[in-house]
Amino acid sequence: MSKLGIAIIGAGMIGTVHRRAALLAGAEVRGVAASSPQRASEVARSWNVPRAYRSIEEVVTDPQVQVVHVCTPNHLHRPMAEAALQAGKHVICEKPLATRLEDAQALAALAATTGRVATVPFVYRYHPVIREARARIAQGELGPLHLIHGSYLQDWLLDPARNNWRVDPVLGGASRVFADIGSHWCDLVEWTTGERFAEVSAAFNTVISERDAISGQSFSAPAAPAPMQAVASEDVAAAMFRTDAGTLASLTVSQVSAGRHNRLWFEIDGAKASVAFNQEEAERLWIGLPDQRQAFFVRGPGAGSAEQRRLSVLPAGHAQGYDHCFEAFVADTYRAIEGERPHGLPSFEDGLRSARIVDHVITSARTRAWTPIV
Ligand code: SOE
């Protein structure tokens, strides 16, 4: 069988993650588009790929390309994904699917019309122990849920000298920390529990009111001092949810919490047992039991649910992490293109669901009111 040809639009941190995952899944990277034709040429040279695209038209008219990976800043997700779908390509579009709910609705509708495979990398679903937690909850091992709580904390924007396109609402969207990382937590918790958030009460805070000008660097401070810019997106957020089953949930999100680099954490407490997951220690799932008992389920191919074993590509004790999640997600997207139906593959419908939650979180934060998620 011939190799799947792919194009990557956007050559920042996440573009390189997509590239590696695509190569490992057996695809051929036909070309790359970047923030300028010159940058595209530089990246094409260093990736050793045949084409440096100068425009989205060049990407979507390349007959060698079957899948377009959209890895640009958020405001470009809709036009890029739309052009690719209209040209008959399959699409992997970075989250958030779009910066406005209407745009996410349009993309999900278009994907459904074209029938192409269209996925969004909510990749934390691909931690094997997440699959284990989901299977245990589905089998009733936790009993009815009593409470969900957690946080997603980072610190890469703690320093006011750091800035990034995500901070600018025009490029990143009206919400920053919630849309960027709160969205992952919500997707993960809804998917793991099978319950859906039905209403929300949220609050945002911008704790660093001015930052150095955007440097173009993703996760590093600018080399030279630049004039300060006012910040118009939130650094921290808190949200309370009630699910459709009546379970109360609370979430704290931050990009300014010193020492927390990418700590997505949640605990789900049921009538019979609890489970807790920490993305920074994703080799094990904590299980809390009555009568002073606790346990850990350790990731590995030798035990646990079928999905946990499928995604455990290394033996227990040989740590898997973020990259493996991404690789499994991209491989599953390509399997879907071949006609398979991989379990838990996050689609544009899931991207739309996320955009809907973010939209209502923003409304709740603005109005200071409990808001139904409809
Ligand atoms: C930056 O906050 C970021 O790279 C997010 O954009 C990703 O979605 C998350 O997985 C890790 O952090």
Side-chain angles (χ1 to χ4, degrees):
M1 204 187 328
S2 65
K3 284 192 169 192
L4 208 54
I6 72 148
I8 298 182
I9 309 179
M13 180 280 266
I14 206 67
T16 61
V17 172
H18 280 246
R19 171 189 174 238
R20 194 167 46 241
L23 292 175
L24 283 169
E28 185 165 345
V29 184
R30 298 291 316 163
V32 59
S35 48
S36 69
Q38 190 202 342
R39 169 102 178 109
S41 301
E42 283 163 16
V43 178
R45 256 195 314 278
S46 82
W47 287 5
N48 195 22
V49 298
R51 294 201 57 186
Y53 305 109
R54 284 164 301 176
S55 66
I56 178 69
E57 288 71 34
E58 287 191 3
V59 175
V60 303
T61 52
D62 184 343
Q64 308 279 5
V65 167
Q66 285 93 53
V67 192
V68 175
H69 290 237
V70 180
C71 306
T72 62
N74 301 343
H75 70 301
L76 295 173
H77 290 177
R78 177 176 177 178
M80 301 292 163
E82 201 164 59
L85 284 168
Q86 280 166 348
K89 310 293 185 191
H90 304 284
V91 178
I92 299 181
C93 181
E94 264 302 327
K95 39 62 53 184
L97 182 53
T99 49
R100 298 179 323 151
L101 178 56
E102 308 84 89
D103 294 325
Q105 277 164 330
L107 279 179
L110 180 62
T113 318
T114 63
R116 296 286 130 175
V117 171
T119 62
V120 178
F122 284 120
V123 292
Y124 299 109
R125 289 184 185 192
Y126 282 83
H127 279 296
V129 301
I130 286 290
R131 303 277 161 152
E132 185 65 23
R134 179 177 148 93
R136 286 176 185 237
I137 291 170
Q139 282 156 15
E141 280 189 32
L142 267 63
L145 302 188
H146 285 167
L147 183 68
I148 301 166
H149 46 117
S151 53
Y152 192 164
L153 310 176
Q154 299 182 331
D155 66 357
W156 66 280
L157 284 168
L158 177 60
D159 181 352
R162 291 195 177 190
N163 209 333
N164 178 270
W165 58 261
R166 288 174 179 79
V167 177
D168 180 349
V170 175
L171 309 180
S175 161
R176 186 225 312 163
V177 73
F178 202 90
D180 189 37
I181 57 175
S183 59
H184 275 296
W185 191 94
C186 291
D187 175 78
L188 196 61
V189 165
E190 283 198 339
W191 190 72
T192 305
T193 61
E195 295 189 9
R196 291 197 135 204
F197 298 129
E199 55 176 344
V200 62
S201 170
F204 289 176
N205 235 1
T206 304
V207 294
I208 295 175
S209 57
E210 286 193 324
R211 292 183 180 275
D212 278 5
I214 290 175
S215 66
Q217 303 289 320
S218 263
F219 292 95
S220 50
M228 300 298 272
Q229 286 181 344
V231 174
S233 57
E234 83 280 9
D235 294 307
V236 299
M240 271 193 298
F241 296 94
R242 197 179 293 278
T243 72
D244 49 5
T247 312
L248 203 57
S250 76
L251 166 63
T252 308
V253 205
S254 161
Q255 287 178 325
V256 293
S257 294
R260 301 300 190 190
H261 305 309
N262 201 33
R263 190 178 187 270
L264 187 168
W265 179 85
F266 68 70
E267 181 172 316
I268 300 167
D269 301 334
K272 297 196 275 186
S274 307
V275 291
F277 169 75
N278 176 0
Q279 200 285 137
E280 290 184 337
E281 292 175 17
E283 286 287 281
R284 53 193 201 166
L285 182 72
W286 177 82
I287 301 168
L289 297 157
D291 306 323
Q292 301 171 22
R293 289 175 299 138
Q294 299 183 10
F296 284 105
F297 174 85
V298 176
R299 183 205 61 72
S305 69
E307 277 293 299
Q308 191 287 134
R309 284 183 272 120
R310 175 175 82 91
L311 295 174
S312 278
V313 292
L314 293 174
H318 299 68
Q320 287 186 207
Y322 178 80
D323 256 3
H324 289 90
C325 293
F326 229 100
E327 289 155 21
F329 159 75
V330 169
D332 272 5
T333 300
Y334 296 169
R335 281 193 192 101
I337 292 170
E338 301 297 332
E340 289 182 35
R341 297 180 69 88
H343 181 69
L345 178 63
S347 67
F348 272 28
E349 278 305 317
D350 297 301
L352 170 58
R353 167 70 187 157
S354 177
R356 195 180 300 287
I357 293 175
V358 170
D359 188 68
H360 289 88
V361 165
I362 294 170
T363 302
S364 171
R366 280 191 185 143
T367 58
R368 300 182 165 221
W370 274 95
T371 305
I373 300 175
V374 286

